[in-house]
Amino acid sequence: MKEYANYSLLNHNTFGMNVETKRFVEYDSEEELIGLLPSLGNKFLHMGGGSNLLFLGNFDGTVLHSAIRGIEVVENCGEEMLVRVGAGVVWDDFVAWAVEQGWGGIENLSLIPGEVGASAVQNIGAYGVEAKDVIVRVEAIHLKTGEKRCFMADECGYAYRQSVFKNELKGQYAITYVTYKLAVHPTLKLGYGNMKVLSEKENVTVADIRQFIIDVRNAKLPDPKVLGNAGSFFMNPVVSRDKFRKIQLAYPQMPYYEVENGVKIPAGWMIEQCGWKGKSLGRAGVHEKQALVLVNLGGASSEEIVALCNAVCKDVKDTFGIDIHPEVNFIS
Ligand code: EPU
């Protein structure tokens, strides 16, 4: 276990906010986590890779971080392998490991920043795949009682970028392990956008998909080591079919995806239509290649990022009559 007082979080948030926490503790096991609970008080934050949050200032409490590692095959079901992974494993290290085995299910989620625990909280998703498609079981510790609970996937309330851990049970549990199912002879998912070019090739492997996704992401998304950011800053809104049809009349070229409860419209496209792509407000900018991503142009304050967020939301609302909401968590 590692513990520090007045600790800089600069290297623990990809937005590059230069803030401090009063106490930072990194634990290596469930036992260590349980032992820590009585000292937590009311103000604490359990964080993963810090790739989906925006600190609004210094954190006057304890930041907890899991260093529970390990990737273990716990069950061989023939066509499917059940793999239990520590919450502190870097997500993309797990993807790389799965691809090395030739097992499928998460290759489309290559290069997503963050850690395994967060994949189960956030239901990370990209290129036609969501974490919920492969999550079997989530193990977690209750942060007040220390009680251990196993959630089966259907108890996790999964939906687009949502789970019980972000909603009803927010702040109540720390995830310690996640078990995923990986396919030994995977059916490849090549339906999303320009991935279709891969389906014209023969003998495509999960390794080919991983490389393709890495290339696409590197071309579109800013590297947080160079330009602070937290990936997509906003969620893509879902509107009713009626509302969609009205907007489509005015914007026939608008991209969209039919979903269960309506039509999903890419917020990045709307932000671009509003003229924000590549523009900035102070030291906060809208990324020039993907308007869904807000960037720290260098030394931006959280106020500058929030001001840009508000300006973008207002313009999208005024132009399209649609409310868009941050995907990034604001921490105060
Ligand atoms: N688009 C624009 N302008 C832009 C950005 C997008 O016109 O500046 C259009 C694209 O041309 C395309 C559509 O919007 O027609 C969708 O764009 P894209 O495929 O880039 O995906 P997205 O909806 O903007 C989502 C995820 C990303 C994920 C990609 C690929 C959310 C909030 N974001 O973005 O996830 O990588 O799909 O699956 O759902 C993240 O969460 O941090 C993230 C990067």
Side-chain angles (χ1 to χ4, degrees), residues 3-80:
E3 173 156 1
Y4 307 94
N6 303 323
Y7 181 78
S8 168
L9 293 169
L10 185 58
N11 293 324
H12 291 270
N13 76 101
T14 58
F15 240 125
M17 294 292 127
N18 195 3
V19 293
E20 267 190 2
T21 175
K22 207 165 155 191
R23 181 180 178 222
F24 183 88
V25 190
E26 190 171 72
Y27 58 88
D28 298 296
S29 65
E30 289 182 330
E31 294 69 31
E32 279 187 4
L33 170 62
I34 292 166
L36 273 166
L37 299 183
S39 71
L40 284 187
N42 286 328
K43 179 96 180 170
F44 62 85
L45 168 73
H46 193 285
M47 65 181 276
S51 54
N52 201 43
L53 43 80
L54 176 64
F55 283 104
L56 299 178
N58 287 338
F59 190 75
D60 185 27
T62 301
V63 168
L64 283 172
H65 181 242
S66 170
I68 299 181
R69 306 256 154 74
I71 302 178
E72 187 193 356
V73 177
V74 287
E75 209 176 321
N76 177 342
C77 311
E79 279 301 304
E80 241 168 39

Side-chain angles (χ1 to χ4, degrees), residues 95-120:
V95 178
W97 178 90
V99 166
E100 262 167 45
Q101 319 304 308
W103 298 345
I106 53 175
E107 58 283 357
N108 293 38
L109 303 179
S110 287
L111 217 60
I112 292 186
E115 294 168 1
V116 161
S119 75

Side-chain angles (χ1 to χ4, degrees), residues 51-52 112-113 122 125-128 160-161 192 217 220-221 230-236 255-257 264 266-273 277 287-293 327:
S51 54
N52 201 43
I112 292 186
Q122 182 63 11
Y127 307 102
Y160 169 63
R161 298 292 199 270
Y192 188 93
R217 291 186 69 99
K220 260 195 180 177
L221 297 168
S232 300
F233 194 91
F234 302 100
M235 288 187 272
N236 288 328
Y256 63 94
Y257 312 92
K264 193 187 271 185
W269 178 83
M270 291 193 282
I271 297 167
E272 182 173 350
Q273 296 302 305
K277 195 169 185 169
H287 188 49
E288 58 189 10
K289 293 186 189 142
Q290 164 52 294
L292 200 53
V293 178
E327 185 199 9

Side-chain angles (χ1 to χ4, degrees), residues 243-254:
K243 189 162 186 173
F244 163 72
R245 276 189 287 270
K246 280 184 198 131
I247 303 172
Q248 203 190 26
L249 283 178
Y251 298 92
Q253 77 289 18
M254 172 171 68

